[in-house]
Amino acid sequence: MDESWPTTGISGFSYSEDKVAVERHLDAVEAEAPELRVVRMRPALVLKRGAAQHIRRELFGAWVPNRLLRPGRSRIYLQHPRLRTQVTHSDDAAEAFRLALHADVRGAFNLAADPVVDGRSLAARFGGRTLALPTVRPIPLLHRAAHAARIVPAEPGWSDELLLSPLVDSGRARRELGWTPAMDALDAWLDLMQGVRDGAGVPTPPLDAAAGGPLRLREWRGSAGARGPLSS
């Protein structure tokens, strides 16, 4: 889908609702100040090595050891037409912002590197075989149950994001900005996964590799059986 795809988001998923709110704010800005040049970047999932521990804490929690997530460990990759995502490396996303600053452009730009990340592309790049799933209906149900049990900290809406979001076309960014990702989607995914294996992070509060505390104690306090809000 190109940039004309409706920005209504996924109801009940706070991350998506936040993006929708930003879009509506920008609509108001453009209406009130048409002389401003407003550019909207709509990147796919942005990955990099330094975000590894943050993403692991947010999506997988304390129960998943880093070694289970290292690249190449799995020899079987699940395949279904709805089980796929698009990603871009943070350096390439930043380059799109730089290009837009120096171009006479307005409006929205989708940003996603090729190829689409799914079971077939992962098996082809990293070795292994695919296992076709007849349906993905159990995935949201299992995710909600695991979240309610404090095993998975990630909001259940992430399953809807994965299964319901359309694949986006980045053609406008390539044509009008001259944007060409230096890192393909699978290499960006590998960069992140190698960071997970190595316990990588960067010294900012959200991305700090040590934010979970020694032996992930802060993560465990919000995990299964704990009281209080679920921590990430």
Side-chain angles (χ1 to χ4, degrees):
M1 300 297 175
D2 63 17
E3 288 80 3
S4 65
W5 182 261
T7 55
T8 51
I10 297 173
S11 179
F13 179 29
S14 62
Y15 180 86
S16 181
E17 290 178 342
D18 179 69
K19 300 293 186 183
V20 172
V22 172
E23 291 276 355
R24 299 293 80 80
H25 281 303
L26 290 175
D27 290 343
V29 169
E30 287 183 315
E32 295 171 6
E35 72 279 6
L36 290 180
R37 184 169 71 91
V38 178
V39 178
R40 313 179 189 211
M41 292 300 181
R42 296 174 181 166
L45 187 62
V46 179
L47 305 181
K48 68 173 181 177
R49 174 182 171 84
Q53 290 307 298
H54 167 70
I55 290 178
R56 183 201 58 74
R57 287 192 301 267
E58 289 285 338
L59 297 184
F60 301 106
W63 291 83
V64 179
N66 287 349
R67 64 181 179 274
L68 291 183
L69 298 173
R70 74 173 186 264
R73 182 180 180 89
S74 176
R75 308 304 298 174
I76 298 177
Y77 297 90
L78 302 179
Q79 178 65 33
H80 186 277
R82 303 301 306 181
L83 194 60
R84 76 286 185 276
T85 191
Q86 290 174 287
V87 305
T88 189
H89 194 272
S90 63
D91 289 347
D92 288 321
E95 175 64 5
F97 278 80
R98 188 192 71 81
L99 291 168
L101 287 171
H102 299 281
D104 185 18
V105 294
R106 294 171 178 256
F109 290 89
N110 294 330
L111 303 177
D114 294 326
V116 172
V117 178
D118 60 7
R120 190 175 293 112
S121 62
L122 289 169
R125 175 65 66 89
F126 303 112
R129 61 187 182 88
T130 60
L131 176 63
L133 292 179
T135 180
V136 291
R137 289 181 181 178
I139 292 177
L141 298 176
L142 291 171
H143 188 169
R144 289 183 177 87
H147 183 74
R150 297 175 175 265
I151 295 173
V152 175
E155 199 177 341
W158 280 108
S159 291
D160 296 328
E161 174 81 5
L162 174 67
L163 300 174
L164 301 179
S165 293
L167 297 179
V168 300
D169 176 9
S170 301
R172 187 183 182 218
R174 297 174 189 271
R175 293 189 305 271
E176 298 185 25
L177 299 179
W179 182 70
T180 301
M183 186 174 292
D184 76 21
L186 293 174
D187 283 338
W189 180 87
L190 180 61
D191 190 46
L192 175 81
M193 298 306 291
Q194 288 175 334
V196 171
R197 177 197 63 191
D198 299 336
V202 293
T204 66
L207 305 185
D208 188 352
L215 301 176
R216 300 185 181 177
L217 289 178
R218 291 176 188 163
E219 296 179 57
W220 287 110
R221 290 191 189 115
S223 192
R227 295 181 179 179
L230 185 64
S231 66
S232 54

